[in-house]
Amino acid sequence: MKPSRLTTYGNWVLDRFPLTKLWNDHMAQYYAPKNFNFWYFFGSLALLVLVNQFVTGILLTMNYKPDAQLAFDSVEYIMRDVNWGWLVRYMHSTGASAFFIVVYLHMFRGLLYGSFKQPRELIWIFGMLIFVALMAEAFMGYLLPWGQMSYWGAQVIISLFSAIPVVGDELSLWVRGDYVVSDATLNRFFAFHVISVPLVLVLLVFLHIVALHEVGSNNPDGIEIKKNKNANGIPLDGIPFHPYYTVKDIVGVGVFLVFFATVIFYMPEMGGYFLEHANFIPADPMKTPEHIAPVWYFTPFYAILRAIPDKFAGVIGMGGAIVVLFLLPWLDRSEVKSIRYRGGTYKKALLLFVISFLGLGYLGTQPATPAATTVARIFTAIYFGFFLLMPLYTRWEKAKPLPSRVTDQPSLEDRIPALIETYHEMTVQKPVTQEDGTTVMKRRPHPAGILNVITRLAIKLKKSLD
């Protein structure tokens, strides 16, 4: 039978481009551990949000004017007069915050399961470079609406470069393109935000994925599945990424889009955290906002900056808070990867680190008072102590024995009966009289049951930290 033209053309392409090989190497015949859990959704979600930012960003540039006199009005024009412009703008602004939420959770997964440890050091380094590029992309994009907080936030952050000895003043002048934040600053930030940094991001994401597929994915047990293979060289504890995890990721994408759409349509400003109220006012170089603070995803590092009294030392501390993350693969001396088999010391240290990071994030949004500064200094010490003391406490703690094969943990479906039982314990049925005089039974909170559940959770948490 003579092949169809479509088949002929397809074979012509495949003879000249390794599409089938790429598909097999990175999807159909890429074997991932079979015990991925909830924490492994966030890598694919980060890729989804990245695509959203690219698409919506391109649409926004079609009507945006990178001009100090026209920028703010062009954003208002997009919001009010461009068909579906308001939706595109909110998808982009919400997507920026969603990107950092997903990336922070993705990085936290690495801390939980030791995804930065040998042989995945290079994957972690590429991931951290993506994080730095993402921060640069967000900072430069933040100036583009040319609102009050955009203008003065950029003014404050760029002025930090002047604290660097010898080259500081020249460097801050080069970044601004002028002696103050002006039209020149807006133009160069627009060029970096739309062209330069996105190209770097795409390259880093490509390298991140290629490095991941070269050494294989980590798993919640921290066991290398390549060490146990069958006669055909297929890992005994691995399953093809496609279709198993592509289908699973689609479920995660569906849940994520529900939350994403809820924010876009009902609370796009998120109380001023995603879109600050001052940014709906045109930039005015003659009027400083009462409280200048960066967007929420920068506030932990901003709080570290403010916690250190000396300006240059503060800049060093803020930069060091990011640089120390690059060193994580060599700071952790534990013989196991996953938190499931680590000792209680690392679990307690990680809990304190999370508390300090969230605390610094909150303090960075608040005015600098003496009490807030004192607390910020304590959290800063905990933040750096987690990393700098890691070579000691990870070497000393006693790890639990690793299983020879990956283990299966209860799924959400398996936990549903226990969750229903807990709900019934925390509530009690009581008669309620309705407006029409009828009486119905409704569940109401049960204080004794709630106390019992909290006590059990506290005991379980204490055992897990031992």
Side-chain angles (χ1 to χ4, degrees), residues 157 160 291-310 313-315 317-319 321 356-369 372-381 383-384:
I157 298 300
L160 296 177
H291 175 53
I292 300 175
V295 197
W296 69 268
Y297 36 78
F298 293 144
T299 52
F301 308 104
Y302 183 62
I304 292 174
L305 169 72
R306 294 194 312 186
I308 301 174
D310 181 71
V315 172
M318 183 175 65
S356 69
F357 188 79
L358 295 176
L360 287 168
Y362 172 75
L363 292 172
T365 65
Q366 304 302 308
T369 62
T373 301
T374 301
V375 176
R377 287 172 181 168
I378 295 172
F379 284 150
T380 300
Y383 179 97
F384 283 103

Side-chain angles (χ1 to χ4, degrees), residues 237-419:
D237 293 318
I239 54 177
F241 191 86
H242 177 79
Y244 295 103
Y245 284 122
T246 49
V247 171
K248 182 179 180 180
D249 285 344
I250 289 172
V251 176
V253 167
V255 175
F256 169 78
L257 289 179
V258 170
F259 289 99
F260 191 63
T262 301
V263 174
I264 289 172
F265 290 109
Y266 293 100
M267 46 184 135
E269 300 169 15
M270 192 59 75
Y273 286 101
F274 287 7
L275 286 173
E276 291 90 340
H277 304 309
N279 243 20
F280 290 91
I281 303 171
D284 185 356
M286 305 303 294
K287 184 178 180 181
T288 308
E290 182 179 356
H291 175 53
I292 300 175
V295 197
W296 69 268
Y297 36 78
F298 293 144
T299 52
F301 308 104
Y302 183 62
I304 292 174
L305 169 72
R306 294 194 312 186
I308 301 174
D310 181 71
K311 185 177 180 180
F312 177 63
V315 172
I316 294 296
M318 183 175 65
I322 299 172
V323 171
V324 74
L325 292 167
F326 283 85
L327 305 177
L328 193 56
W330 297 275
L331 294 174
D332 189 351
R333 304 297 177 86
S334 176
E335 58 188 25
V336 299
K337 296 183 178 75
S338 175
I339 197 170
R340 291 179 179 177
Y341 307 104
R342 287 179 180 264
T345 306
Y346 180 81
K347 296 176 182 178
K348 295 183 180 74
L350 183 59
L351 178 62
L352 288 173
F353 169 77
V354 171
I355 293 172
S356 69
F357 188 79
L358 295 176
L360 287 168
Y362 172 75
L363 292 172
T365 65
Q366 304 302 308
T369 62
T373 301
T374 301
V375 176
R377 287 172 181 168
I378 295 172
F379 284 150
T380 300
I382 295 173
Y383 179 97
F384 283 103
F386 172 75
F387 295 103
L388 300 180
L389 298 177
M390 187 176 285
L392 299 178
Y393 65 76
T394 56
R395 189 198 301 255
W396 292 339
E397 69 177 1
K398 185 177 180 181
K400 300 175 184 177
L402 282 174
S404 58
R405 299 271 301 274
V406 300
T407 59
D408 292 322
Q409 298 293 320
S411 65
L412 179 60
E413 185 179 358
D414 299 329
R415 299 177 191 271
I416 287 177
L419 293 174

Side-chain angles (χ1 to χ4, degrees), residues 24 48 87 89 100 127 145 151 181 183 206 251 304 388 406:
N24 289 333
L48 171 70
L87 178 60
R89 196 270 176 103
F100 276 93
Y151 179 90
V181 174
D183 185 70
F206 171 76
V251 176
I304 292 174
L388 300 180
V406 300

